[in-house]
Each structure stands twice: as structure tokens, then as C-alpha cells.
């Protein structure tokens, strides 16, 4: 294909994106202006996913990396962060109906991208297994896990279940509803393996003696994390991306991550 033709196609694509953004701006006010006016940032979060979003039984509030980042974003808008609890199986409907942004250690996926915008990626974080420490050598690869004798436990509705269904179909896949205590299923020998984000399994091995992450720095699958934003709202996305850039540049992002990995 000639260079002129390639340039023409790229320019046409850029014009379509610009037209869509202008159409959104003309028809609807940006969520950015709405948040500033109401002084409240509604944040959807699951509360079951250390170190990103966690609320223990009986606690009034959430803790975690994305909770602190949500408060930082709200502060930059002179607003209060209000956290709306959801679950992975209902994340997208709840986000669309109730929230301005979703922040919960959310993996960037193309199906989610069809329905919403993502912020710029803030963490590279692929899938890695966690097992009993005396069985680390046994579960080094996807093929080694994907055996009929392996009991794989997974929380329903998110990318952990999707990974298991797509890559571990020969194994015994067991659904367990509470992601906060799912690790006990492995520790107490009711399951053998869970595959989750590498940063999560690194933290969980420190919280559960006897469990070990398997090659978390060489994950089984590449992954990125971002924040869910309203589809088409380029103004709000641009603001969130700039806030995130500055949080990283000033060291605030690293301080938040470090504080929540202890």
C-alpha cells in the first residue's frame, strides 16, 4: 500500500475519533464537570481484592491502593470520594448505573474496552499461580496445572475465572464466592492452585505462611490494570490520565503502593 494511502486512512480514522468526541461533548456534559459541581466522586470498587480494594467483615471503610488513589483523584477535584461496593460479576452494570469511575485492580480487557473507556495503564500485572509451598515445583507452567487431578479454585465473574476457563479446562475448576478468604481453600487442602494477578499472589504469600507464589515475576499471561471511565468522555479521561501522570511523577503513586504492600 502506498504511503499516501496509509496517511489518508490514518487521518480518516483520527477524524472519526475527533467527530465522536465532539458529538459526546455537544450532547452531554463531561463527567468531569458533573463531579466538580456535585463535589462527590462515586467510585465503584469490589472490596475483596488485596492490595487494591479490601473491606474486612464489619469494617465501615475500604482500604487499598485503588482506595487511596481514588481519594487522591477526588481531592484533586475538590470533591469527596464515595465508594460504591460492587462484585466482579456485576462490575460493568454497576459502573454504568452508579459510578463516575471504577477502581479495584481492574484488568484491561478488550471486552471491557467495548463498553467503557480505560485510563492510561497504571500497572503491568500478569497472572501467576499460588500454591502450597511444598508443591511449587509441581505447578511451574500452565500445562502442569491443566491436569485432571488439579483442583483450581477461582472467584467467579472476573478475569481470574476467564483465565481458568480458557487455559485450565482439563483441571477441576471450583468456584468460591469470597475472594477475601479464598486462599484458605489452598492452605487447608481443599484446592491446589489459584491463578491471580502477580502483585496479589506476592502479597498473599506474605499473609498466609505455607502458601507460595509461583514465578510471580514471570507471569503466565501479560496483563495491565487501569481505571474504568465513561465511554466517549474524552474530557474526563484526559483529566484522569493527567492526574495519574502527576501522581507518578511526584512520587505519590509509589508511596501509596508501598504503604499498601506491607
Amino acid at each position: 500500500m502506498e504511503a499516501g494511502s496509509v496517511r489518508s486512512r490514518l487521518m480518516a480514522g483520527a477524524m472519526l475519533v475527533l467527530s465522536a468526541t465532539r458529538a459526546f461533548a455537544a450532547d452531554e456534559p463531561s463527567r468531569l464537570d458533573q463531579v466538580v459541581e456535585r463535589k462527590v466522586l462515586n467510585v465503584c470498587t469490589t472490596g475483596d481484592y488485596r492490595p487494591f480494594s479490601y473491606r474486612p467483615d464489619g469494617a465501615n471503610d475500604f482500604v487499598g491502593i485503588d482506595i487511596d488513589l481514588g481519594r487522591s483523584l477526588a481531592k484533586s477535584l475538590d470533591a469527596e470520594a464515595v465508594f460504591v461496593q460492587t462484585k466482579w460479576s456485576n462490575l460493568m452494570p454497576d459502573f454504568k448505573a452508579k459510578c463516575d469511575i471504577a477502581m479495584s485492580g481492574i484488568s484491561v480487557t478488550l471486552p471491557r474496552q467495548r463498553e467503557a473507556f480505560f485510563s492510561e495503564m497504571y500497572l503491568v500485572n500478569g497472572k501467576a499461580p499460588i500454591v502450597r509451598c511444598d508443591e511449587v515445583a509441581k505447578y511451574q507452567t500452565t500445562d502442569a496445572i491443566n491436569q485432571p487431578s488439579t483442583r483450581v479454585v477461582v472467584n467467579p465473574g472476573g478475569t481470574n475465572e476467564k483465565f481458568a476457563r480458557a487455559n485450565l479446562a482439563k483441571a477441576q475448576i471450583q468456584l468460591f464466592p469470597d475472594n477475601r478468604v479464598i486462599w484458605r481453600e489452598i492452605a487447608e487442602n481443599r484446592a491446589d492452585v489459584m491463578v491471580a494477578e502477580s502483585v496479589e499472589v506476592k502479597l498473599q504469600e506474605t499473609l498466609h505462611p505455607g502458601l507460595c507464589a509461583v514465578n510471580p515475576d514471570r507471569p503466565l499471561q501479560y496483563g495491565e490494570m487501569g481505571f474504568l471511565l465513561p465511554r466517549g468522555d474524552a474530557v474526563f479521561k484526559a483529566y484522569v490520565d493527567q492526574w495519574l501522570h502527576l501522581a507518578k511523577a511526584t512520587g505519590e503513586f509509589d508511596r501509596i503502593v508501598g504503604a499498601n504492600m506491607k
Side-chain angles (χ1 to χ4, degrees), residues 73 120 236-249:
L73 174 59
E120 289 295 318
F236 190 36
K237 173 175 163 53
Y239 183 90
V240 172
D241 287 345
Q242 183 63 21
W243 157 80
L244 180 59
H245 164 74
L246 292 174
K248 289 186 172 184

Side-chain angles (χ1 to χ4, degrees), residues 91-239:
L91 174 63
M92 191 64 71
D94 280 350
F95 163 65
K96 290 179 177 179
K98 304 174 183 179
C99 296
D100 305 304
I101 188 169
M103 308 174 77
S104 199
I106 300 168
S107 296
V108 176
T109 69
L110 293 177
R112 286 171 176 162
Q113 185 76 66
R114 293 179 202 142
E115 299 186 58
F117 270 4
F118 271 103
S119 69
E120 289 295 318
M121 175 271 294
Y122 69 95
L123 194 66
V124 174
N125 190 29
K127 301 288 186 188
I130 187 168
V131 303
R132 290 180 291 278
C133 291
D134 60 357
E135 295 191 319
V136 167
K138 182 178 179 180
Y139 297 115
Q140 287 286 303
T141 65
T142 301
D143 288 343
I145 299 169
N146 190 27
Q147 300 295 325
S149 60
T150 306
R151 298 167 299 171
V152 175
V153 67
V154 64
N155 56 305
T159 58
N160 290 344
E161 182 183 4
K162 289 180 180 177
F163 178 90
R165 300 289 184 196
N167 298 279
L168 305 173
K170 295 179 183 178
Q172 303 171 42
I173 297 176
Q174 307 170 358
L175 296 181
F176 189 85
D178 193 342
N179 203 41
R180 298 170 303 170
V181 297
I182 196 170
W183 321 97
R184 295 178 192 164
E185 298 302 292
I186 305 170
E188 296 172 10
N189 201 24
R190 291 186 291 272
D192 302 310
V193 181
M194 181 173 176
V195 178
E197 269 65 38
S198 55
V199 68
E200 182 182 21
V201 297
K202 282 182 179 180
L203 176 62
Q204 293 298 335
E205 73 174 358
T206 69
L207 299 174
H208 297 87
L211 297 187
C212 288
V214 181
N215 304 322
D217 296 322
R218 291 184 284 115
L220 301 175
Q221 181 191 57
Y222 177 79
E224 296 179 350
M225 287 183 168
F227 309 127
L228 277 180
L229 300 166
R231 177 176 166 176
D233 194 341
V235 173
F236 190 36
K237 173 175 163 53
Y239 183 90

